[in-house]
Amino acid sequence: MKKIGLFYSFNSAKTAKIAEKIKSAFSGYDIQNINVEIADENSFKSFDYLIFGAATWFDGELPNYWDEYLPAVEDVDLSGKKLAIFGLGDQLNYPENFCDAIGILADFFEAKGAEIVGKFPLEGYDFEGSKAVRNNEFIGLPLDQENQARMTNTRIEKWVESLKLEFI
Ligand SMILES: Cc1cc2nc3c(=O)[nH]c(=O)nc-3n(C[C@H](O)[C@H](O)[C@H](O)COP(=O)(O)O)c2cc1C
């Protein structure tokens, strides 16, 4: 069975909770949680497919642990690997930088050869700007636990169903 690696910080409470929901939605799949805080450049190798999760912090930036991880994987080659990204953000308080981390990670890992999958429609969100938007859709799955927590389960379900068509 193909292996999925789910990378996020185990110490980031809301992100970790969402990651567990995503893992549950993939029930029956071989999916393993990896703490990005202790991952290295070899951590990707045993996986066929990757899912990365990151909240956006500091007005449109990555959380520290992702920021510190990227230099360690500067030389990684992800050619041919499919990568899906989910993010947490707050569209009411950070409308100009909503879930920017998704876009930052997508740009970085696309430059390493990864194929970004798991796009998501803009409908239902209300914000002004986001690095996660490309060609009028999100490049990954944005979730807003502050303002739209009730929509999270449905969004995850829809996103994971679309990923199952990619992760075959
Ligand atoms: C200081 C601070 C800065 C933030 N900056 C942003 C931001 O620029 N864009 C955004 O969408 N959300 C932003 N947020 C919201 C967080 O991404 C959101 O609360 C998220 O759920 C936190 O998840 P975590 O607890 O797993 O880190 C910010 C939150 C804080 C406290």
Side-chain angles (χ1 to χ4, degrees), residues 32-158:
Q32 192 185 330
N33 312 42
I34 303 289
N35 188 357
V36 75
E37 292 184 39
I38 54 167
D40 62 25
E41 71 275 14
N42 293 314
S43 303
F44 303 133
K45 285 190 178 151
S46 52
F47 300 107
D48 302 289
Y49 303 116
L50 301 168
I51 301 175
F52 294 170
T56 300
W57 287 4
F58 313 121
D59 293 346
E61 293 184 31
L62 291 175
N64 299 351
Y65 50 89
W66 270 113
D67 227 10
E68 285 157 18
Y69 184 51
L70 296 190
V73 295
E74 186 59 54
D75 297 325
V76 79
D77 179 10
L78 291 184
S79 299
K81 281 224 164 124
K82 289 186 178 178
L83 164 65
I85 304 167
F86 70 92
L88 284 81
D90 175 343
Q91 61 205 296
L92 193 68
N93 289 303
Y94 303 92
E96 291 168 7
N97 303 95
F98 179 50
C99 284
D100 275 358
I102 294 175
I104 297 170
L105 291 179
D107 287 347
F108 183 91
F109 287 102
E110 206 167 39
K112 309 294 168 208
E115 180 192 348
I116 311 297
V117 297
K119 298 185 176 62
F120 205 74
L122 303 181
E123 283 78 36
Y125 297 88
D126 187 6
F127 63 100
E128 285 159 31
S130 172
K131 288 185 183 140
V133 176
R134 275 198 214 163
N135 302 325
N136 223 24
E137 60 185 349
F138 290 112
I139 188 89
L141 173 68
L143 297 168
D144 185 338
Q145 294 304 93
E146 266 76 28
N147 309 295
Q148 294 184 332
R150 274 179 299 166
M151 298 167 91
T152 291
N153 287 351
T154 316
R155 285 172 172 164
I156 288 175
E157 232 169 84
K158 182 175 171 184

